[in-house]
Amino acid sequence: MRKTYIDIAKGIAILLVILGHMNRFFEYNGRLNQIVYSIQLPVFLLIGGYWLRLKENESPMEFLAGKFYRLIQPYFLFAFFSIIYIWPKDAGEFGYYAAGMLWGIGIRNYLPNLPIWFLTMFFVANIWFYLILNMGKLGKKPWQSYLLKGAAVLFIMYAGWKIKMREVRLPWGFELAMILQGFFFAGHLWKACEERWGKEPLMLGKRKSMVLLLAAVIAFPVWLLCVKWNGRVDINAAWFGQKGMWSFYLAALAGSYLLILLSAALAKFPPAAWVLSLFGKNSMVIMATHVPVLLWLDGVVTPLMPTVIQINSRSKNWIGISYYFTADVLLSLFAALLLKRNPYSRRKKIHNMDGPTA
């Protein structure tokens, strides 16, 4: 069962992803990018932990097959067509991109369509958390189960960090998937709290809603201070800021909490909820198409626009920024709707609430 406020949260997050990739307009270490990058991907990871659960009578192979179909099959499809799209100039460049497609990480220009690195890492992260949930079954009581899962998360995060400190980048973001398990666990706890309360955020009654809002008042300065102290983070590059992991996680969790509460509030306004949830429901394809769309804008669309757009399209002003962001957002959504699969396909049988969705 879909939840509108979660689709809204994913919609806002994917818009932040697009904004963060407006590299021609915003400095890599600029304040805007510091804010955007602190929450854009952690929100998807939290939602992944929220939806991931052990299904009755589902074997490990069935779980793997479902995740492979949902994440890795689209990854290879988008990666292959991205290579064809840029049309490598010789066999050597084609071989380089083909090897990068198999390696599945977004550094050193391995992938001509950089954002799709997230799909392979997210696949591995789902497998790690699936193992953690199974470990939790060893606990006879709920508190024992959560204690086991929490201990397993800390151990896996520590092991991933040790690998990262050796400056080793493993295929499919293997070490990143380990380091980021804390977000999956936070999403898992969020789901458990919601099930216990029986209602979504801001629908818990006056007293509990006030507690959530009070927590938001505390989370806001924590988020801003940690972002300021930590500076720019780049999960893909395995760079977690100047202060380290604690500040990265604190900023990401506080900022994601604020975004989720905002999404719950926006869910009460149907027009905004419909638009943002539409982006959320199509977030995976938007993630995979918005960079090629930017290239298409440069080569095809912008030369056909009025002179004022052509002149300002690469300028750091409201015309250039607004034009490129709006055009990329709308065309990426259009591409996502065009690529939407047949609703009667096998995909219909697979639960698709666990992260960026097509």
Side-chain angles (χ1 to χ4, degrees), residues 15 18 48 114 130 149 155 206 216 229 257 276 287 303 310 316 340 347:
L15 292 176
I18 296 175
L114 181 63
Y130 177 79
K149 288 182 280 192
F155 177 79
K206 187 175 181 179
W229 290 336
Y257 176 73
L276 291 171
M287 182 178 287
Q310 295 183 41
K316 191 178 179 180
K340 210 170 185 66
R347 179 176 175 271

Side-chain angles (χ1 to χ4, degrees), residues 271-305:
W274 182 82
V275 172
L276 291 171
S277 62
L278 184 63
F279 282 97
K281 292 173 184 177
N282 294 280
S283 55
M284 185 178 72
V285 180
I286 293 173
M287 182 178 287
T289 58
H290 73 276
V291 169
V293 164
L294 275 176
L295 298 177
W296 190 64
L297 278 170
D298 282 340
V300 178
V301 179
T302 303
L304 302 176
M305 298 299 290

Side-chain angles (χ1 to χ4, degrees), residues 14-15 18-19 22 279 286 290 293 297 323-335:
I14 198 62
L15 292 176
I18 296 175
L19 183 62
M22 297 280 122
F279 282 97
I286 293 173
H290 73 276
V293 164
L297 278 170
Y323 162 68
Y324 259 92
F325 179 73
T326 303
D328 196 15
V329 164
L330 294 178
L331 288 174
S332 298
L333 178 61
F334 180 67

Side-chain angles (χ1 to χ4, degrees), residues 41 80 94 107 116 140 148 153 195 266 270 334 351 356:
L41 294 185
F80 175 76
F94 180 84
I107 61 173
I116 61 175
K140 296 181 179 180
L148 285 171
V153 166
E195 288 178 341
L266 290 172
F334 180 67
H351 198 273

Side-chain angles (χ1 to χ4, degrees), residues 14-28 32-33 36-37 40 115 232 290-291 293-295 297-298 313-317 319-330 332:
I14 198 62
L15 292 176
L16 292 177
V17 168
I18 296 175
L19 183 62
H21 289 158
M22 297 280 122
N23 297 328
R24 69 185 59 175
F25 301 116
F26 306 114
E27 296 179 6
Y28 179 82
L32 178 67
N33 272 348
V36 168
Y37 276 76
Q40 57 174 0
R232 173 68 147 78
H290 73 276
V291 169
V293 164
L294 275 176
L295 298 177
L297 278 170
D298 282 340
S313 63
R314 290 182 173 270
S315 302
K316 191 178 179 180
N317 56 36
I319 296 176
I321 295 171
S322 300
Y323 162 68
Y324 259 92
F325 179 73
T326 303
D328 196 15
V329 164
L330 294 178
S332 298

Side-chain angles (χ1 to χ4, degrees), residues 12-320:
I12 297 173
I14 198 62
L15 292 176
L16 292 177
V17 168
I18 296 175
L19 183 62
H21 289 158
M22 297 280 122
N23 297 328
R24 69 185 59 175
F25 301 116
F26 306 114
E27 296 179 6
Y28 179 82
N29 290 309
R31 187 59 53 85
L32 178 67
N33 272 348
Q34 290 178 19
I35 292 173
V36 168
Y37 276 76
S38 70
I39 57 173
Q40 57 174 0
L41 294 185
V43 169
F44 286 116
L45 297 166
L46 277 162
I47 293 172
Y50 179 95
W51 284 118
L52 186 58
R53 66 186 187 277
L54 300 178
K55 299 178 184 178
E56 190 175 354
N57 299 323
E58 181 184 53
S59 69
M61 288 305 299
E62 288 174 329
F63 173 81
L64 282 173
K67 293 300 176 185
F68 188 93
Y69 181 79
R70 277 277 299 112
L71 296 168
I72 301 305
Q73 179 177 288
Y75 164 78
F76 279 111
L77 181 68
F78 288 126
F80 175 76
F81 280 105
S82 295
I83 294 174
I84 300 301
Y85 183 77
I86 66 164
W87 199 255
K89 62 178 179 292
D90 53 43
E93 189 176 59
F94 180 84
Y96 180 82
Y97 284 137
M101 176 174 64
L102 296 175
W103 198 252
I105 58 176
I107 61 173
R108 299 173 187 168
N109 293 321
Y110 285 148
L111 294 169
N113 187 0
L114 181 63
I116 61 175
W117 74 270
F118 184 77
L119 299 180
T120 51
M121 186 280 294
F122 194 67
F123 173 75
V124 177
N126 272 269
I127 295 173
W128 275 117
F129 200 63
Y130 177 79
L131 296 174
I132 289 168
L133 292 181
N134 275 283
M135 185 173 293
K137 291 168 64 177
L138 299 175
K140 296 181 179 180
K141 297 181 179 180
W143 69 268
Q144 293 174 333
S145 176
Y146 282 106
L147 186 62
L148 285 171
K149 288 182 280 192
V153 166
L154 290 175
F155 177 79
I156 291 172
M157 288 176 61
Y158 176 76
W161 182 256
K162 295 296 286 185
I163 295 172
K164 185 261 182 191
M165 292 302 291
R166 292 178 176 269
E167 301 298 330
V168 175
R169 295 305 305 271
L170 299 179
W172 292 20
F174 191 86
E175 75 284 2
L176 293 180
M178 300 171 73
I179 293 171
L180 300 172
Q181 285 302 299
F183 294 113
F184 270 75
F185 189 55
H188 180 63
L189 295 177
W190 160 29
K191 176 71 170 179
C193 291
E194 193 173 280
E195 288 178 341
R196 182 174 180 179
W197 294 332
K199 292 183 179 180
E200 297 177 3
L202 303 183
M203 298 178 64
L204 301 171
K206 187 175 181 179
R207 180 174 296 180
K208 290 182 178 178
S209 294
M210 287 300 296
V211 172
L212 292 178
L213 293 174
L214 178 61
V217 172
I218 299 172
F220 184 72
V222 169
W223 172 50
L224 289 183
L225 286 173
C226 286
V227 168
K228 182 177 180 181
W229 290 336
N230 210 29
R232 173 68 147 78
V233 301
D234 192 335
I235 295 177
N236 171 45
W239 172 248
F240 300 103
Q242 300 171 2
K243 298 297 182 180
M245 190 62 64
W246 70 270
S247 184
F248 160 69
Y249 256 95
L250 197 55
L253 291 173
S256 297
Y257 176 73
L258 293 169
L259 189 147
I260 289 166
L261 279 190
L262 173 63
S263 301
L266 290 172
K268 298 180 180 180
F269 299 92
W274 182 82
V275 172
L276 291 171
S277 62
L278 184 63
F279 282 97
K281 292 173 184 177
N282 294 280
S283 55
M284 185 178 72
V285 180
I286 293 173
M287 182 178 287
T289 58
H290 73 276
V291 169
V293 164
L294 275 176
L295 298 177
W296 190 64
L297 278 170
D298 282 340
V300 178
V301 179
T302 303
L304 302 176
M305 298 299 290
T307 303
V308 65
I309 296 294
Q310 295 183 41
I311 293 174
N312 292 281
S313 63
R314 290 182 173 270
S315 302
K316 191 178 179 180
N317 56 36
W318 284 109
I319 296 176

